[in-house]
């Protein structure tokens, strides 16, 4: 599995019945309650839009492909400002609000157009910071702004069809019942991070099912917003796109591009996978259409049921075919996979003939009276250097050579290897990509690392190998920095 992160292009907090703008604030304060002690009083809603340019580019290039699987998931992730300290639970914020607990938040789609005039509700982020006008010794405080967008206005000359986007009493020009709710999440303690499932929404947007989009919003359920007579005001905070920390909110897209090539370990009696790799001038290149594959036996005869199978596009320049279990053959023996219907830019290419050896199933099975000793591994890398500074415009292929420890050349051809990527904040490891299996081709283990959707920081890579029932984790095997291109 691989990931792609899409970040916010704009965000703002709408405060009920107020012209205040907080678009530049690094924290969204979602609050409710009518206590007169805190400022402002009422409730708030958060709105945002996404820049999915890189996501669209990867799909158009075939890096993210649905040819072999539809297993693509999109998750909105926002970090709670209380996530790092349990001591902040049930405490009072700087605005004299209690930390909210036991509540639900909704993720909704901002209606594209006014219902009456069909005018797009395109909105501006604004330049405000403070939630209310603070009397300071500094004249003309630039942190406070009542310029759009806000509860009433989208732009200087535009207004929301319904103030606050929708009416939570199911009245007004745009009632809550007419809203498209994408997901709902329950918060038991109030320190949980936002993890909204946007899979169907983003897929519809990418496939043209949502022809126009002006963003989305996060809010309390109407029943919470409408609570009256509360003894206190309550709030929960999340980092916005203007945070100076690593915790910028984003849309995480996970997709299956795992390559598990069985060409060097093709066994009798089990499902195997074969791949065709297409390069042009050293870079992966897509064919015009997926190729056809025919499997022939050791006599050169096509195998029934394995003739002119259509391969699927796994990722850019890589095509996969799944072969059902073969039985009844004397092993070991050499078979062929013949790839045909190969065209690039309208030009036909000759068929490709590849060999693979069909091994007996016993090759991968050990039976006896003793157990295997756990293995210790060593690693070599190429594609990223130790302590390298990498521009955030690079796409790197990181090769991993897995060896028996304390040897220089005893390579291990087939093991279960995994990697994960993270940054460090003090003693805390902040996950960037969870444990993912290494790609396995006939000649190497590797993974692709795209810096274009990563926040500049110092990154670490851990490796994990599973063997003989043991899980061996090797910490901070690679350390490198991603830096901005100037």
């Amino acid at each position: 599995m691989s990931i792609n992160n899409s970040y916010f292009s704009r965000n703002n907090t709408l405060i009920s019945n107020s012209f205040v703008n907080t678009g530049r604030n690094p924290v969204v304060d979602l609050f409710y309650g009518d206590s007169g002690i805190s400022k402002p009083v009422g409730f708030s809603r958060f709105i945002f839009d996404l820049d999915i340019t890189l996501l669209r580019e990867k799909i158009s290039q075939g890096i993210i492909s649905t040819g072999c699987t539809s297993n693509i998931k999109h998750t909105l992730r926002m970090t709670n400002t209380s996530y790092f300290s349990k001591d902040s639970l049930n405490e009072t914020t700087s605005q004299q609000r209690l930390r909210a607990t036991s509540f639900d938040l909704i993720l909704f789609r901002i209606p594209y157009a006014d219902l009456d005039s069909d005018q797009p509700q395109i909105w501006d982020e604004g330049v405000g910071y403070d939630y209310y006008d603070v009397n300071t010794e500094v004249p003309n405080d630039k942190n406070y702004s009542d310029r759009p967008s806000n509860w009433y206005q989208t732009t200087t000359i535009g207004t929301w069809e319904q103030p606050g986007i929708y009416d939570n009493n199911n009245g007004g020009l745009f009632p809550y019942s007419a809203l498209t709710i994408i997901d709902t999440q329950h918060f038991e303690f109030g320190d949980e991070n936002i993890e909204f499932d946007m899979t169907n929404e983003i897929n519809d947007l990418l496939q043209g099912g949502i022809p126009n989009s002006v963003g989305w919003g996060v809010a309390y359920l109407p029943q919470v917003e409408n609570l009256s007579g509360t003894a206190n005001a309550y709030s929960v905070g999340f980092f916005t796109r203007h945070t100076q920390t690593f915790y910028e909110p984003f849309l995480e897209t996970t997709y299956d591009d795992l390559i598990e090539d069985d060409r060097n370990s093709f066994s009798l009696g089990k499902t195997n996978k074969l791949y065709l790799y297409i390069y042009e001038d050293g870079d992966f290149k897509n064919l015009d259409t997926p190729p056809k594959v025919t499997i022939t036996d050791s006599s050169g005869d096509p195998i029934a049921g394995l003739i002119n199978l259509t391969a699927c596009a796994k990722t850019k320049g890589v095509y996969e075919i799944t072969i059902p279990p073969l039985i009844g053959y004397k092993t070991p023996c050499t078979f062929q996979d013949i790839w045909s219907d190969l065209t690039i830019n309208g030009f036909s290419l000759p068929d490709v003939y590849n060999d693979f050896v069909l091994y007996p199933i016993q090759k991968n099975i050990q039976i006896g009276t003793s157990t295997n000793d756990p293995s210790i591994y060593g690693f070599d890398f190429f594609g990223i250097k130790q302590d390298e500074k990498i521009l955030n415009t690079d796409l790197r292929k990181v090769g991993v050579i897995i060896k028996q420890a304390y040897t220089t050349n005893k390579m291990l051809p087939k093991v279960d290897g995994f990697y994960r990527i993270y940054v460090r904040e003090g003693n805390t490891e902040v996950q960037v990509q969870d444990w993912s299996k290494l790609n396995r081709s006939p000649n190497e283990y590797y993974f692709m690392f795209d810096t274009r959707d990563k926040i500049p920081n110092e990154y670490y890579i851990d490796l994990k190998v599973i063997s003989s029932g043991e899980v061996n984790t090797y910490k901070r095997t690679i350390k490198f920095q991603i830096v901005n291109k100037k």
Side-chain angles (χ1 to χ4, degrees), residues 388-452:
E388 182 180 1
K389 289 182 171 61
I390 306 174
L391 293 177
N392 63 347
T393 56
D394 288 6
L395 176 61
R396 297 289 186 93
K397 179 182 179 181
V398 183
V400 182
I401 300 173
I402 305 177
K403 306 179 295 182
Q404 183 174 316
Y406 316 119
T407 67
T408 58
N409 57 6
K410 189 173 182 180
M411 309 300 178
L412 299 173
K414 187 175 182 180
V415 296
D416 287 331
F418 301 80
Y419 72 99
R420 79 175 183 114
I421 303 172
Y422 60 95
V423 303
R424 289 176 59 84
E425 294 279 342
N427 293 324
T428 302
E429 295 179 353
V430 183
Q431 182 172 284
V432 174
Q433 180 164 345
D434 200 0
W435 287 110
S436 302
K437 206 167 187 179
L438 292 168
N439 292 320
R440 184 185 73 242
S441 72
N443 61 316
E444 63 183 349
Y445 294 92
Y446 73 94
F447 63 91
M448 303 300 296
F449 184 69
D450 195 339
T451 68
R452 295 173 295 175

Side-chain angles (χ1 to χ4, degrees), residues 381-390 396-399 421 447 449 451 461 478-481:
F381 303 90
F382 56 89
I384 292 181
K385 298 177 182 178
Q386 194 72 257
D387 295 317
E388 182 180 1
K389 289 182 171 61
I390 306 174
R396 297 289 186 93
K397 179 182 179 181
V398 183
I421 303 172
F447 63 91
F449 184 69
T451 68
I461 297 177
I478 308 178
K479 181 181 71 174
F480 60 94
Q481 292 183 33

Side-chain angles (χ1 to χ4, degrees), residues 2 10 30 43 60 68 90 93 113 161 163 175 219 230 259 343 349 377 380 383 401 404 413 421 445 454 465 486:
S2 292
R10 52 185 171 168
L30 286 174
F43 57 87
S60 67
C68 297
N90 206 33
T93 69
E161 170 76 3
T230 57
I259 295 169
T343 59
L349 302 176
Y377 299 95
D380 284 335
I401 300 173
Q404 183 174 316
I421 303 172
Y445 294 92
K454 305 297 186 294
V465 178
K486 296 183 178 178

Side-chain angles (χ1 to χ4, degrees), residues 197-363:
D197 186 353
M198 296 188 71
T199 300
N200 293 334
E201 179 77 357
I202 299 301
N203 285 343
D204 284 348
L205 181 65
L206 293 170
Q207 296 165 10
I210 305 173
N212 300 291
S213 172
V214 291
W216 297 266
V218 178
Y220 291 103
L221 284 172
Q223 298 93 316
V224 176
E225 289 183 342
N226 289 325
L227 285 174
S228 61
T230 57
N232 295 287
Y234 303 88
S235 71
V236 61
F238 300 94
F239 291 107
T240 74
R241 81 184 194 99
H242 293 288
T243 179
Q244 298 301 308
T245 70
F246 185 76
Y247 306 106
E248 187 174 340
F250 62 95
L251 176 77
E252 179 187 74
T253 299
T254 59
Y255 55 98
D256 181 9
D257 62 347
L258 177 63
I259 295 169
E260 296 181 292
D261 201 322
D262 295 312
R263 186 169 299 278
N264 294 338
S265 55
F266 203 107
S267 295
L268 190 74
K270 76 177 188 69
T271 299
N272 296 273
K273 293 180 180 180
L274 297 174
Y275 294 81
L276 184 69
Y277 306 87
I278 312 294
Y279 292 91
E280 183 180 53
D281 298 327
D283 190 18
F284 285 109
K285 177 71 174 180
N286 291 323
L287 297 170
D288 294 347
T289 57
K292 296 287 180 35
V293 185
T294 295
I295 307 297
T296 62
D297 61 21
S298 56
S299 300
D301 298 324
I303 299 175
L306 300 180
I307 302 172
N308 285 331
L309 303 177
T310 300
C312 60
K314 191 65 175 182
T315 185
K316 184 179 180 181
V318 181
Y319 295 87
E320 175 187 277
I321 190 71
T322 300
I323 310 298
L326 299 177
I327 57 175
Y329 293 94
K330 184 178 180 180
T331 57
C333 56
T334 300
F335 283 23
Q336 273 195 333
D337 48 304
I338 305 170
W339 300 74
S340 57
D341 288 355
L342 309 175
T343 59
I344 294 180
N345 299 328
F347 293 95
S348 296
L349 302 176
D351 294 349
V352 173
Y353 293 77
N354 296 321
D355 293 335
F356 64 91
V357 176
L358 180 63
Y359 292 100
I361 192 170
Q362 293 91 334
K363 184 176 186 293

Side-chain angles (χ1 to χ4, degrees), residues 13-218:
T13 304
L14 307 183
I15 299 173
S16 59
N17 305 311
S18 172
F19 283 95
V20 69
N21 172 275
T22 63
R24 289 193 301 115
N25 199 295
V27 172
V28 49
D29 188 24
L30 286 174
F31 62 87
Y32 71 92
D34 57 3
S35 169
I37 300 176
S38 60
K39 291 183 179 181
V41 176
F43 57 87
S44 60
R45 297 168 182 168
F46 178 69
I47 59 175
F48 67 94
D49 204 355
L50 288 165
D51 180 0
I52 58 173
T53 304
L54 181 60
L55 178 60
R56 290 185 185 275
E57 178 183 322
K58 288 184 176 181
I59 292 174
S60 67
Q61 293 177 349
I63 296 174
I64 299 176
S65 173
T66 58
C68 297
T69 177
S70 58
N71 189 20
I72 295 179
K73 186 174 182 179
H74 308 281
T75 305
L76 178 69
R77 298 192 180 277
M78 295 181 67
T79 302
N80 195 310
T81 57
S82 299
Y83 177 71
F84 311 98
S85 175
K86 296 294 183 183
D87 295 336
S88 63
L89 295 178
N90 206 33
E91 285 192 346
T92 303
T93 69
S94 58
Q95 283 79 33
Q96 300 303 306
R97 299 189 185 94
L98 286 175
R99 299 285 182 185
T101 62
S102 185
F103 59 89
D104 285 10
L105 292 180
I106 61 168
L107 173 67
F108 63 90
R109 185 194 307 163
I110 299 175
Y112 171 70
D114 290 351
L115 295 179
D116 54 354
S117 57
D118 199 31
Q119 293 295 316
Q121 296 198 112
I122 297 173
W123 53 278
D124 290 330
E125 182 176 65
V127 296
Y129 186 101
D130 288 338
Y131 278 76
Y132 57 96
D133 197 0
V134 181
N135 293 324
T136 66
E137 297 179 358
V138 180
N140 301 320
D141 181 11
K142 294 183 179 180
N143 286 328
Y144 178 80
S145 173
D146 57 6
R147 305 297 302 137
S149 59
N150 50 50
W151 185 260
Y152 299 101
Q153 298 171 288
T154 55
T155 63
T156 299
I157 59 174
T159 60
W160 297 108
E161 170 76 3
Q162 172 69 40
I165 302 178
Y166 64 91
D167 182 82
N168 59 17
N169 288 305
N170 272 333
L173 296 173
F174 199 98
Y176 172 79
S177 59
L179 206 60
T180 300
I181 305 299
I182 310 303
D183 197 11
T184 302
Q185 181 177 341
H186 182 69
F187 293 75
E188 181 178 1
F189 301 107
D191 65 342
E192 298 91 343
N193 295 329
I194 281 179
E195 297 179 355
F196 282 126
D197 186 353
M198 296 188 71
T199 300
N200 293 334
E201 179 77 357
I202 299 301
N203 285 343
D204 284 348
L205 181 65
L206 293 170
Q207 296 165 10
I210 305 173
N212 300 291
S213 172
V214 291
W216 297 266
V218 178

